[in-house]
Amino acid sequence: MAESPRAIIDELQFLLSQSKQPTVRALLEAELKRQNEQLKFESPPEKKQIVKPAVRTKKISNYAWDESSKFVKIYISNIKEAEHSINKENIESKFDTRSATVLLRGVGGKEINYSFSISNLKESISPSECRVTPSKTGVTIYLAKSSSSTWGSLKAQKEEKKDDFPKMDKDADPSAGLMNLRSTCTRQGTTR
């Protein structure tokens, strides 16, 4: 299935706003210019597409969270450019069972975008019941819990790898323990 030129241009603008490397930015700008030229030929002449220059997007990494029996609430505040309330029309959100992504478009006078993304949530959420509510200086993200369990932490903890090394016996000969350790390492192919 062919992608629409408009969707390609939007994706390129988003990638351009995220990129930091000059070489990557130059490649994206060249492709964006090529796609805009192609769009001119494909669209009727009376309807001209005006593509705004890329808007800067800041990643949000500072947040607070709390939980109740039904929701995990993520508080994003102190967005300095948000002198006035953030409009609901400018909030884009995507929720999956273990992740959430929120994009605040055109915040403040400088028209800066803010993005927040979290994955590897500790428990599953119900994406259809999740929502984002604007406030004066930020937003509150409501993640609807699938079950009413207490999370205790927002993200799932990484499982610690259990070592299969033999335990040291205080009464045994110390050199026997070293020989056991060496044979274990040899079996596992970890000697150097």
Side-chain angles (χ1 to χ4, degrees):
M1 183 161 94
E3 296 175 353
S4 73
R6 184 81 229 143
I8 293 171
I9 289 171
D10 289 342
E11 183 78 14
L12 285 170
Q13 286 178 329
F14 176 74
L15 292 172
L16 186 60
S17 70
Q18 297 292 318
S19 68
K20 294 179 178 138
Q21 299 293 326
T23 307
V24 175
R25 289 185 65 81
L27 288 170
L28 289 171
E29 287 170 350
E31 182 61 21
L32 184 62
K33 184 177 179 181
R34 191 180 73 76
Q35 289 293 331
N36 280 327
E37 291 296 321
Q38 186 177 0
L39 184 64
K40 286 180 187 176
F41 291 117
E42 292 179 6
S43 62
E46 63 272 359
K47 293 183 180 179
K48 291 187 178 181
Q49 291 283 353
I50 299 173
V51 179
K52 292 182 179 179
V55 178
R56 185 171 172 208
T57 301
K58 290 184 178 180
K59 228 177 194 180
I60 298 171
S61 58
N62 193 12
Y63 59 91
W65 72 280
D66 188 18
E67 68 177 312
S68 64
S69 61
K70 293 183 181 180
F71 291 98
V72 171
K73 294 172 258 183
I74 300 174
Y75 303 100
I76 299 171
S77 60
N78 294 331
I79 297 176
K80 293 177 183 172
E81 287 80 9
E83 293 113 16
H84 309 309
S85 293
I86 297 170
N87 297 327
K88 276 191 172 185
E89 305 88 53
N90 295 344
I91 299 174
E92 294 179 23
S93 58
K94 181 179 184 235
F95 301 103
D96 291 321
T97 55
R98 293 268 187 174
S99 65
T101 303
V102 175
L103 180 64
L104 308 173
R105 292 197 177 274
V107 177
K110 296 181 181 179
E111 296 291 319
I112 297 173
N113 295 339
Y114 287 88
S115 69
F116 174 78
S117 182
I118 189 162
S119 59
N120 195 23
L121 292 171
K122 182 164 184 177
E123 300 286 337
S124 295
I125 59 173
S126 300
S128 60
E129 298 174 30
C130 296
R131 66 183 189 273
V132 180
T133 306
S135 66
K136 187 168 180 126
T137 60
V139 293
T140 303
I141 304 168
Y142 292 86
L143 303 177
K145 293 181 175 180
S146 294
S147 64
S148 61
S149 63
T150 302
W151 287 19
S153 67
L154 194 55
K155 289 187 160 198
Q157 302 296 322
K158 294 179 183 177
E159 290 185 22
E160 292 184 24
K161 187 177 178 182
K162 187 177 179 181
D163 292 330
D164 293 329
F165 294 113
K167 301 290 181 198
M168 297 298 292
D169 185 6
K170 292 182 181 181
D171 297 331
D173 181 25
S175 62
L178 288 173
M179 292 305 291
N180 288 340
L181 178 63
R182 183 170 184 254
S183 64
T184 301
C185 290
T186 303
R187 277 195 309 273
Q188 293 177 350
T190 57
T191 59
R192 293 186 182 173

